[in-house]
Amino acid sequence: MEKELTQDELNERIAVLRRYRTLLEAQREKFREYLLVLEKQEAKIENDDGEALAMHAQLENQIVANIASLQKVILPIQRMYEKAGIEGAEHIQAELQEMQERVLAQNQKNRTLLQAHMSRIRAQLTESVGMNPYRGRRSVYAERTASGSLVAFEA
C-alpha cells in the first residue's frame, strides 16, 4: 500500500525535481560548449596553429572547472532525487551521458592528433639538428682542416 503524499511533500519533490533538471540542463550546455571547443581544437591541431591551441587549452580548462563545480552541486541534489524516488529526469540524464561519451571520444581523438603532431615536430627537430654544419664543433670559427699554429714576423 502506497503512502499518500501531503501537499508539502509534493511541493518539496517538485522543487527538488525542478532544481535537479535545471542543473542537469546547465551541465548539458557546458558539455555542448566543451564539445564545440574540442571540435575547433581539432581543426587548430591539423592547421598547426600553436597560439590558437594554447587559447583553446585555457578555455578548455575553464569549462572543465565549470563542469566540475556544477557536478559538486548536482551530486547532493541527485541523492535527494534518488532517495525520494522521484521520476522525470531520466531523458536528460541519458542525453547527458551520451554527451559525456561524445566529449570523451573527441578528447581522445584530439589527444591522438596532438601526439602525432608532436612526433612530427620532434622528427623535424632531430633532422634539422643533423643538418647543422656547426654541430660538434667547439667554435663556429673552427675548421676541420689543419691550420698553422706559428706565425713568423721579420723586421
Side-chain angles (χ1 to χ4, degrees):
M1 185 167 155
E2 210 170 289
K3 177 184 161 186
E4 192 70 29
L5 294 176
T6 65
Q7 188 62 37
D8 288 339
E9 290 173 330
L10 189 59
N11 289 341
E12 182 180 330
R13 287 185 177 194
I14 290 172
V16 168
L17 178 60
R18 284 184 179 156
R19 181 68 179 146
Y20 185 54
R21 290 185 81 163
T22 302
L23 290 171
L24 287 177
E25 288 169 355
Q27 190 174 30
R28 182 179 58 194
E29 284 305 311
K30 289 295 176 188
F31 273 112
R32 281 187 182 141
E33 185 180 343
Y34 186 38
L35 186 60
L36 182 64
V37 166
L38 288 174
E39 288 170 350
K40 288 183 179 182
Q41 189 179 41
E42 177 185 2
K44 300 301 178 187
I45 291 170
E46 291 172 352
N47 292 336
D48 196 23
D49 191 352
E51 289 180 26
L53 271 175
M55 290 173 42
H56 277 279
Q58 289 175 348
L59 183 60
E60 181 179 347
N61 287 338
Q62 291 173 353
I63 293 171
V64 168
N66 287 341
I67 290 172
S69 65
L70 263 176
Q71 189 63 29
K72 288 179 184 177
V73 174
I74 288 175
L75 284 176
I77 294 178
Q78 182 178 4
R79 288 187 193 110
M80 288 173 44
Y81 173 83
E82 291 169 352
K83 184 178 179 182
I86 305 171
E87 295 179 7
E90 291 75 19
H91 173 71
I92 296 174
Q93 287 174 323
E95 191 175 326
L96 186 58
Q97 183 66 32
E98 187 255 335
M99 186 70 69
Q100 287 174 334
E101 290 170 6
R102 288 178 53 200
V103 162
L104 289 174
Q106 184 66 40
N107 198 348
Q108 182 61 38
K109 185 178 179 182
N110 284 6
R111 186 177 296 129
T112 303
L113 280 173
L114 198 53
Q115 287 172 345
H117 184 68
M118 287 173 52
S119 295
R120 284 193 307 272
I121 290 174
R122 282 189 191 108
Q124 287 174 352
L125 284 174
T126 303
E127 184 179 307
S128 69
V129 166
M131 295 172 54
N132 185 353
Y134 302 109
R135 181 173 177 235
R137 294 191 181 173
R138 291 176 22 178
S139 170
V140 293
Y141 302 107
E143 289 290 325
R144 292 189 181 210
T145 59
S147 60
S149 60
L150 286 177
V151 178
F153 288 103
E154 290 186 23

